[in-house]
Amino acid sequence: MRLLLDRLSVDPQVAPGVVADVLEACDVSFDLSSERAAFRCVLATLGKDHLVDVRLAELFRHWNPVSRDDLSIEMLVRFRELGLHRGRIDPDEAARFRERYGHRRPDLVVRLAELAGSAGESASGRRSDGDTDIAQAGRP
């Protein structure tokens, strides 16, 4: 599975819908290496076709990643930036990410910090959109 996903993530000729079809056909209970390959597929595909972006967001919406690493966080941030996920990013999680990956991914640290705590809360701090808190759920 990982080899197929790796190939899909680097082939510029693959249509976004094909990537979504393959990921939807996969069992999303990947091992860590296949999970990272799936994240690379999503990241390579996002922004090319809005309808496919929506499919991918739905596919990964309730998925609990094996690892909360730079790829999973980048996928979460991209979904948020495209308006496809409204869940809250916990500021503590953003701080932990900064400590762990700040030296390697300063761009992503800034983007994550901008999103942390900003969506889905009213002035009272209560959730207004019904989505689950990202840190609590651990899901994109």
Side-chain angles (χ1 to χ4, degrees):
M1 177 60 57
R2 186 186 58 77
L3 181 58
L4 172 61
L5 296 175
D6 281 341
R7 297 286 181 176
L8 288 174
S9 70
V10 296
D11 187 342
Q13 301 302 318
V14 174
V18 171
V19 172
D21 290 343
V22 169
L23 289 171
E24 287 171 343
C26 291
D27 176 8
V28 293
S29 59
F30 298 121
D31 61 23
L32 183 59
S33 66
S34 295
E35 179 180 82
R36 290 182 57 81
F39 292 158
R40 285 189 295 272
C41 280
V42 170
L43 290 169
T45 303
L46 281 175
K48 293 180 179 179
D49 180 319
H50 179 70
L51 294 177
V52 171
D53 293 348
V54 171
R55 287 173 60 193
L56 292 172
E58 188 57 33
L59 178 64
F60 286 94
R61 181 176 213 70
H62 302 291
W63 184 30
N64 192 8
V66 173
S67 172
R68 296 294 286 200
D69 60 11
D70 57 334
L71 288 176
S72 65
I73 295 294
E74 183 170 8
M75 188 175 73
L76 169 69
V77 168
R78 290 286 307 279
F79 282 141
R80 287 284 307 278
E81 290 171 342
L82 291 170
L84 298 172
H85 179 71
R86 299 176 317 217
R88 189 171 85 79
I89 296 174
D90 186 279
D92 292 335
E93 183 175 13
R96 285 189 300 275
F97 182 82
R98 182 184 65 243
E99 290 171 15
R100 190 166 182 198
Y101 293 100
H103 63 286
R104 263 194 342 210
R105 295 297 311 269
D107 61 313
L108 190 52
V109 167
V110 170
R111 291 164 58 207
L112 184 63
E114 289 172 355
L115 296 173
S118 63
E121 290 185 358
S122 66
S124 68
R126 295 193 141 173
R127 308 262 326 136
S128 61
D129 58 15
D131 276 357
T132 307
D133 185 318
I134 298 304
Q136 178 185 10
R139 299 180 184 124

